[in-house]
Amino acid sequence: MKKYLALLLALCMLFALAACGGQTEAPAAAPAAEAPAAEPAAEPAAEAAQLVGISMPTKSLERWNRDGSYLKEQFEAAGYQVELTYSDNDAVQQNNDIANMIADGVKVLIITAIDSDSLSQTLADAEAAGIQVIAYDRLINNAKTAYYVSFDNYTVGVLQAQYVIDALDLENAGDKVYNIEFTAGDPADTNAAYFFNGAVDTLKPYLDSGVLNVVSGQTEFEQVATPAWSTENALNRFQNILASYYADGTVLDVALCSNDSTALGVAQAITSDYAGDNAPIVTGQDGDIANLKNIVDGVQTMTVYKNVSDEAGVTLVVAQEILAGNTPDASTCDKFAADAAFDTETYDNGMGVVPSFLLVPYSIDKDNLDLLVATGLYEMGPDGYLVAP
Ligand code: BGC
C-alpha cells in the first residue's frame, strides 16, 4: 500500500511537472553572434532559441527512443532548439556526433555515454568551448561534467533483490535451497555495476548462508556482464548456462537480470531450453513494451520502472538553471515536480564527485501494471497488453 501511494504521488508529480515545463521562463538569451546560423524565428521579436545538443546511445534499446523523444519534446516546448543524435552504440560515432554538436554551437550538452570511459577528449573540447555537460542517466568518467541526472541506480538492484526475497519468503526459507543465476549489464556502462552491486549486496546474507545457490558459480560482475546490454548476448550466455548446469533437471528458481533487454534474452532461453516445468522468477528494469507483455504472459516476473519522462523534466530544469547562469543545488529540487534527491557523495567520475540529481525507481509486477497506465505513458491495448500511446 505504501509503495502504491508513493507511485501515485510520483504520478501526480509527473502531471505537475508537465505543467511546470510549459510555464518555464525563456532562458537568458545567447549573444546574437553565437546563435545558430539558420535559426527560424519562432515568434516575432522572440530571442533566437538556444541550441541544445542531446546525444543518445542507440535506437536499438527501447528506452533511449523514449528518452530522446521526451527530452526533445520538453526542451522544444520550453523554447529551445534541439539537435538530437543516436550513435548506434558505437563510441567512436558518439564522439563524432558530439564534436559536430560542439561545432554547431550548442549551449549545453546532454549525453548518455555508450562507453563511459571514451569521451574525455571530446568533452575537454566542449569545456574549452564553454559548453557545460549534463551526464544523462549514465555517469561519464574522467571528463568535466557539470551535473549527473539519473535514478538511484543502486536501489534498482536492491528492488530486484527485494522482490526475490519477498516472493520466495527467503527470511523463512529454513533448510530450503533456491538456485539463482545472475545476468548483469554492459561493463562499458557505469550503471551496470551499481545495479549488480545493489542486487548482490541485498542478497548476500542468503548467498552466504546457502539459501541461495548459484549453480554455475558465476557470481562476479565480469562473469555475468552482457556486452552492449544486447538481448542476443544474454540469450546466448543463458542457453549455455542451461545446457551446462541445468540440462540434468536441476531446478532454476531465479534469473536475476539487471534490465529488460537482458531479461528478454534470458526469458527466451528459459522458454526454449529450460528442462524444468516451474516458471523461474525473472527480474528486469525499464518497463519495455515486450517485457510488459512477458509479465502479463508470466514469462518475466517483475521490472523496475523508471519514469524517463520525469528524468527528462529534471534535466530540462537543470539545463535551464545552467543556461541562466545559476548553480543548481539542493534547492533546485523544489523546482522539480518529480521526486528527486540531490547527491554530492556517490558518483565520483575520476575527476571528483559529480553533483547528482537522482530520481526514484519502482517495482512493478503483474499485480500493479495498471500504475504504468496511470502515468499516461502507456495504454492498455485491446488484447490486455500495454502499448505506447
Ligand atoms: C539504463 C537502463 C537501461 C540500460 C540499457 C542503463 O544505463 O540505466 O535503464 O536498461 O542502460 O539500455
Side-chain angles (χ1 to χ4, degrees), residues 87-338:
S87 306
D88 206 15
N89 253 346
D90 177 340
V92 174
Q93 189 183 324
Q94 185 169 42
N95 273 283
N96 291 337
D97 289 341
I98 294 169
N100 288 335
M101 292 192 214
I102 295 171
D104 289 345
V106 296
K107 299 291 168 228
V108 67
L109 276 164
I110 294 155
I111 300 171
T112 303
I114 292 166
D115 179 342
S116 304
D117 292 320
S118 76
L119 292 170
S120 304
Q121 183 52 55
T122 304
L123 296 194
D125 296 344
E127 188 185 3
I131 302 165
Q132 298 214 44
V133 174
I134 299 174
Y136 182 85
D137 203 79
R138 297 175 177 171
L139 194 66
I140 302 168
N141 288 330
N142 301 313
K144 184 83 188 302
T145 311
Y147 288 92
Y148 177 45
V149 176
S150 192
F151 288 79
D152 180 340
N153 295 309
Y154 184 86
T155 295
V156 169
V158 172
L159 290 174
Q160 293 164 339
Q162 194 57 50
Y163 190 94
V164 171
I165 292 168
D166 294 343
L168 297 178
D169 192 18
L170 294 187
E171 280 186 48
N172 300 306
D175 292 340
K176 283 194 206 130
V177 175
Y178 294 101
N179 293 330
I180 183 169
E181 297 293 341
F182 291 95
T183 300
D186 184 352
D189 174 358
T190 40
N191 285 348
Y194 285 103
F195 302 146
F196 180 71
N197 290 338
V200 169
D201 291 352
T202 308
L203 295 177
K204 191 167 186 304
Y206 306 101
L207 291 163
D208 287 349
S209 70
V211 167
L212 287 177
N213 176 38
V214 184
V215 179
S216 69
Q218 298 181 14
T219 53
E220 298 301 320
F221 175 75
E222 293 70 25
Q223 295 175 299
V224 304
T226 309
W229 291 99
S230 129
T231 298
E232 197 186 344
N233 290 338
L235 166 68
N236 292 339
R237 172 175 168 269
F238 219 78
Q239 282 179 324
N240 285 337
I241 290 209
L242 291 175
S244 307
Y245 304 100
Y246 293 88
D248 61 358
T250 301
V251 172
L252 173 69
D253 297 292
V254 183
L256 193 135
C257 306
S258 284
N259 87 330
D260 279 354
S261 62
T262 55
L264 207 58
V266 167
Q268 199 178 323
I270 290 172
T271 304
S272 60
D273 291 32
Y274 177 50
D277 47 21
N278 64 313
I281 293 172
V282 178
T283 69
Q285 166 190 194
D286 288 331
D288 286 353
I289 295 292
N291 299 75
L292 296 175
K293 179 175 187 297
N294 275 356
I295 289 176
V296 172
D297 290 344
V299 180
Q300 180 171 327
T301 319
M302 64 85 72
T303 191
V304 174
Y305 179 63
K306 305 189 298 189
N307 188 322
V308 296
S309 177
D310 281 353
E311 190 175 12
V314 167
T315 305
L316 170 63
V317 175
V318 173
Q320 284 173 318
E321 291 293 309
I322 290 175
L323 289 169
N326 299 330
T327 305
D329 60 15
S331 69
T332 311
C333 292
D334 299 340
K335 301 189 176 173
F336 308 140

